[in-house]
Amino acid sequence: MTTPDLPALSQQIEQLLVARNLRGMQLLQQQLRPGYILRAARLINQCQGTVLIGTGFPVLDTFETDGPVGAIALYQLLEQLGARPILVSGNPLCSVLASRYRTWQISVNQQQNLPAIASQALAELQPQLVISIERPGFTANSRYANMRGEDITERCASFDHFLSLASCPTIGIGDGGNEIGMGNMAAFLGQLNITPAVTECDELLVADVSNWAAWGIIAMVSVLQGRDLLTGADPLQILKFLSAHGSVDGVTRLNTLTEDGLPYTEGEQLIRELKLLTK
């Protein structure tokens, strides 16, 4: 069996994840240092301890499907690798996730003492890695904005300081420019129709749909492990669980089995393409 060219494979995955260019992520992908999927996969692959996965983007009075699907997929991956993942979010999402997974709740609309809250949590949980997938990031005036530019601070829990104060590596995943981690791309966000986030991370991953970056990471970890960890990949099952608890599509704001306006079959197709790339 030939040894795969890992940097080249990483770049193929990186390009596949932004192939549709739904919200301008090709622009950012071209500016990022190539190999970020491989670097993120290696960070995850070496974890044996606690990993915090922050997710949850508020839409109206509930949460959107993009983010939690990928967070759950990464949670399942980390458990397979022998690590101890914890999903970090605010309510109503946190109580939904707590029915099945280890969770850590952060308070919605808490504007005070945020650094202290994060520091205390980091000291208690001692994570080896902190991941943010589709979580709102601070704007320049320490507020939160959705893709429409609406101020959603009152419905947001704050995860930014979990990354900025962490002593371990941090990964940010986003698809629009207003998510945690996008501060890495500050020089280019002005070209997007978005109120940009300023919070940075060690390794930024971009995708047309944030959930899809999780599948890309899992494909890469599969190569590092020499085993197919995408075998059980089932975005529909996860979407059904979230939908039964009131999730909505972040674009249409409807309770459907979709991600950012796209049918779940698009995610399944991406997983098939990732399997072909990494088999």
Side-chain angles (χ1 to χ4, degrees), residues 1-199:
M1 181 178 167
T2 57
T3 305
D5 182 340
L6 295 179
L9 180 58
S10 185
Q11 288 191 57
Q12 284 182 286
I13 294 173
E14 288 155 25
Q15 288 161 4
L16 177 63
L17 291 175
V18 296
R20 290 171 168 272
N21 201 31
L22 300 171
R23 293 173 64 197
M25 289 304 101
Q26 280 182 15
L27 168 74
L28 302 189
Q29 189 263 330
Q30 290 157 11
Q31 310 302 328
L32 287 165
R33 183 164 65 93
Y36 51 85
I37 287 285
L38 175 58
R39 294 191 296 273
R42 281 176 166 155
L43 286 173
I44 286 171
N45 193 46
Q46 66 194 24
C47 281
Q48 292 296 302
T50 297
V51 179
L52 304 184
I53 308 171
T55 194
F57 212 109
V59 178
L60 304 177
D61 294 321
T62 185
F63 54 90
E64 72 162 298
T65 52
D66 189 27
V69 173
I72 289 169
L74 291 173
Y75 183 106
Q76 293 169 340
L77 167 71
L78 284 155
E79 283 213 313
Q80 284 181 276
L81 297 176
R84 182 175 180 269
I86 299 173
L87 296 171
V88 183
S89 62
N91 274 333
L93 176 60
C94 192
S95 57
V96 171
L97 296 173
S99 66
R100 288 191 179 183
Y101 309 102
R102 276 184 300 274
T103 55
W104 183 272
Q105 186 179 335
I106 45 180
S107 297
V108 173
N109 194 23
Q110 179 152 11
Q111 307 300 307
Q112 291 76 39
N113 308 317
L114 293 176
I117 291 166
S119 293
Q120 187 176 347
L122 291 166
E124 184 174 336
L125 298 171
Q126 293 288 309
Q128 285 188 337
L129 180 65
V130 178
I131 304 170
S132 175
I133 176 166
E134 190 66 16
R135 264 221 71 88
F138 277 140
T139 61
N141 60 353
S142 298
R143 305 288 290 178
Y144 294 110
N146 64 16
M147 68 170 71
R148 296 165 173 84
E150 298 163 347
D151 189 312
I152 54 169
T153 310
E154 290 182 3
R155 300 200 306 276
C156 269
S158 182
F159 190 59
D160 301 68
H161 293 293
F162 279 76
L163 279 80
S164 58
L165 297 175
S167 55
C168 62
T170 60
I171 296 171
I173 299 171
D175 61 15
N178 57 340
E179 303 91 0
I180 287 175
M182 287 292 180
N184 291 26
M185 292 278 101
F188 307 99
L189 295 177
Q191 298 175 55
L192 302 175
N193 182 25
I194 200 80
T195 304
V198 299
T199 305

